[in-house]
Amino acid sequence: MDFQAGILQDGSPMESLEKQLICPICLEMFSKPVVILPCQHNLCRKCANDVFQAANPYWQSRGSLISGGRFRCPSCRHEVLLDRHGVYGLQRNLLVENIIDIYKQECSSRPLKKGEHPMCKEHEDERINIYCVTCEVPTCSMCKVFGAHKDCEVAPLQTIFQGQKTELNNCISMLVAGNDRIQTIISQLEDSCQSTEENSEAAKRELCARFDALAALLEEKKAELLQRISQEQADKTAFIQSLICQYKEQLEKSSRLVETAIQAAEETGGAAFLMGTGTKPALLSLPRIVEASKGGRLDKIEQGYESMDAFSVSLDHLTEAVHALDFDPAEEDEEYFDGEEEEVEG
């Protein structure tokens, strides 16, 4: 890997080194393991495998019977031939991996530049490098020796930083755990809300079914009672109609007898009237007329026969029962309330 020229040309060796450690595929710093191609260029093994798979879509695995494959280096287009092991047959570049480790360690421990490090406002050339525990503010060494914090208790800035950072991380962990618990409670409440809606719908369906059954029973009973009233109506009406027919027949016979009696009464001859030999009807009809004049012996209806008061129904008790309808308390609710009363008494 030719990174010495880049270091010499650039004023910042670390920045130049970082440019040399960039993978040409993912444009990120090489990730372990790093493989070296026959053309001496380097790739992340994952990136090399992606290029190889794209160039050899039918290659399956290292244990495949396919002899191998080929792809071109993304930096110089040199053709790279691989055996049946694929990119796993390429040699790892341990030197580059070690350089990456050293670079990362150097970056983590490298001090900030003068422009990057906060400076003291009272002493412009002094960096803020200590922490005033008394005033709870960062300050510089000059402020501790000659300045406003000379009588205060101080501590190393890095120590306070690490302590507060650890405390902050602990608080973050506690907040995250608390958020998880809150989310769990929210999920439980949402499940309870959904269960409440489902149980309410089931209770509504059951209530409607019970009332529908009660309404059907009332309709059946109403039809039965109406049928009994209709039967009684038919019986009484039939009896009254039969009486009407009988009285009409009697009226018709009585009318004919009246005509006969009138004709007999118009006879002037005594012998002819008594013997019935004249032009007028004979006296033989007289007994029948006399019998008819005494009145018929037909049946009569009793007073109040047409009344239907016997079929009146009182629904007051049912009305009161309907008004008194309510939900039965569940057993667990009763036990719950009993427990509360015991606790209150205790």
Side-chain angles (χ1 to χ4, degrees), residues 64 68 79 139 170 203-204 207 266 279 282 284 286 293 313 319 326:
S64 176
E79 188 175 44
T139 184
N170 293 335
K204 289 178 182 178
L207 183 65
E266 292 177 353
T279 58
L284 295 177
L286 184 60
S293 64
V313 177
T319 304
D326 201 352

Side-chain angles (χ1 to χ4, degrees), residues 222-233:
K222 182 178 74 173
E224 176 187 347
L225 296 179
L226 288 175
Q227 178 62 28
R228 289 174 58 184
I229 295 176
S230 299
Q231 185 63 41
E232 183 70 12
Q233 175 188 355

